[in-house]
């Protein structure tokens, strides 16, 4: 089982719809969860981080965390063509003096005009 | 300000060349990272510096040599690379040992001929 799993997609949604991106993780001790957006040929850009169970909203983005079920999701409301990108879910793996960020393989989102 | 800068943006080198990638941040972060990313794959951790000391080397070949001259700068020295080393090289930084949110620079696109 991979440490962080995402559906690679592509996830295709029409403009204006809600895009729902999901991620599961295997380490029950994980405390910190991140969503990065990566446009083709560019570097990852932090969208959201979430530490507590429940929802966290920032503009059109909502991150949802359920530690009991070990999943974290990202909702994008009113999706725009400019949201078309790969979305990387990442989880902190704790160990020693330095923590590591463990990435899922990413979900490609395509918003159709 | 969450800016991490990287130079150069693009680099083409032969297998016998020696070159260096540079990364700089002025956020007061004390952890800095090098990642390698191949097309359609997530970033892959190479090295971590924590408080200017190398804390993680993910069994990276010795043709890659990291250096952290001070808390704001991170270099990656390249020597005798192979064509399969062609990739996007990403630098990231975070606050410190338990400061977990990583911010990425724009990356250096490396092509080894």
């Amino acid at each position: 089982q991979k440490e962080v799993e995402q559906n690679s997609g592509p996830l295709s949604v029409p403009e204006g719809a809600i895009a729902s991106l999901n991620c599961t993780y295997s380490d029950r001790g994980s405390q910190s969860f991140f969503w990065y957006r990566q446009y083709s040929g560019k570097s990852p850009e932090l969208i959201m981080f979430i530490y507590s169970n429940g929802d966290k909203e920032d503009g059109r983005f909502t991150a949802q965390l359920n530690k009991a079920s070990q999943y974290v999701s990202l909702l994008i409301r009113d999706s725009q063509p400019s949201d078309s990108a790969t979305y990387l879910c990442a989880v902190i793996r704790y160990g020693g003096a330095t923590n590591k960020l463990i990435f899922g393989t990413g979900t490609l989102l395509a918003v159709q005009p | 300000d969450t800016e991490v800068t990287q130079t150069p943006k693009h680099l083409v080198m032969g297998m016998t060349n020696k070159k260096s990638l540079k990364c700089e941040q002025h956020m007061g972060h004390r952890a800095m990272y090098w990642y390698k990313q191949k097309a359609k794959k997530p970033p892959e951790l190479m090295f971590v510096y924590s408080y200017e000391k190398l804390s993680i080397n993910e069994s990276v070949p010795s043709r890659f040599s990291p250096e952290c001259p001070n808390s704001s700068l991170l270099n990656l020295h390249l020597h005798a690379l192979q064509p399969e080393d062609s990739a996007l090289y990403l630098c990231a930084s975070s606050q410190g040992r338990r400061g977990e949110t990583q911010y990425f620079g724009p990356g250096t696109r490396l092509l080894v001929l």
Side-chain angles (χ1 to χ4, degrees):
Chain A
Q1 182 186 9
K2 288 184 183 173
E3 201 161 342
V4 181
E5 296 211 51
Q6 295 181 256
N7 187 322
S8 60
L11 173 66
S12 184
V13 300
E15 185 174 353
I18 295 175
S20 177
L21 303 157
N22 300 312
C23 172
T24 58
Y25 60 95
S26 60
D27 183 357
R28 281 199 171 274
S30 296
Q31 305 270 348
S32 307
F33 307 86
F34 304 85
W35 283 100
Y36 288 85
R37 176 176 65 195
Q38 188 171 25
Y39 292 112
S40 181
K42 302 294 186 184
S43 67
E45 173 192 7
L46 181 69
I47 296 294
M48 299 277 287
F49 58 85
I50 186 166
Y51 301 145
S52 304
N53 269 334
D55 295 0
K56 179 181 178 183
E57 190 174 316
D58 184 0
R60 295 187 297 113
F61 298 96
T62 299
Q64 299 175 317
L65 175 61
N66 184 323
K67 289 185 180 179
S69 301
Q70 294 175 246
Y71 83 77
V72 57
S73 61
L74 181 70
L75 301 178
I76 306 174
R77 288 182 299 282
D78 188 23
S79 295
Q80 301 297 309
S82 58
D83 294 324
S84 298
T86 296
Y87 288 80
L88 294 162
C89 173
V91 173
I92 290 287
R93 182 201 293 165
Y94 298 97
T98 308
N99 304 322
K100 292 185 189 181
L101 195 58
I102 307 300
F103 287 93
T105 52
T107 297
L108 179 61
L109 173 67
V111 180
Q112 308 298 328
Chain B
D1 182 13
T2 55
E3 190 177 27
V4 177
T5 59
Q6 289 186 245
T7 55
K9 287 194 172 77
H10 302 276
L11 180 62
V12 180
M13 60 187 290
M15 290 189 283
T16 58
N17 292 156
K18 283 185 182 180
K19 296 286 184 184
S20 296
L21 309 184
K22 296 186 185 303
C23 174
E24 190 167 6
Q25 57 87 15
H26 293 290
M27 296 178 278
H29 288 176
R30 302 309 299 271
M32 295 185 77
Y33 310 78
W34 280 115
Y35 289 86
K36 173 183 175 180
Q37 188 176 26
K38 302 282 262 185
K40 300 191 188 304
K41 298 286 187 187
E44 179 185 331
L45 184 65
M46 299 174 73
F47 302 103
V48 181
Y49 273 84
S50 178
Y51 291 78
E52 293 119 70
K53 288 188 180 358
L54 183 65
S55 62
I56 293 179
N57 175 342
E58 294 285 76
S59 303
V60 178
S62 60
R63 57 185 184 268
F64 295 92
S65 175
E67 179 196 19
C68 188
N70 60 55
S71 60
S72 301
L73 291 173
L74 186 65
N75 297 322
L76 186 63
H77 302 298
L78 314 173
H79 173 55
L81 293 194
Q82 304 296 308
E84 60 264 28
D85 296 322
S86 299
L88 180 66
Y89 287 83
L90 297 162
C91 174
S93 71
S94 67
Q95 277 187 316
R97 290 194 185 97
R98 304 303 286 188
E100 300 160 335
T101 304
Q102 292 186 26
Y103 298 93
F104 284 84
T108 293
R109 177 73 59 189
L110 174 66
L111 178 62
V112 182
L113 299 176

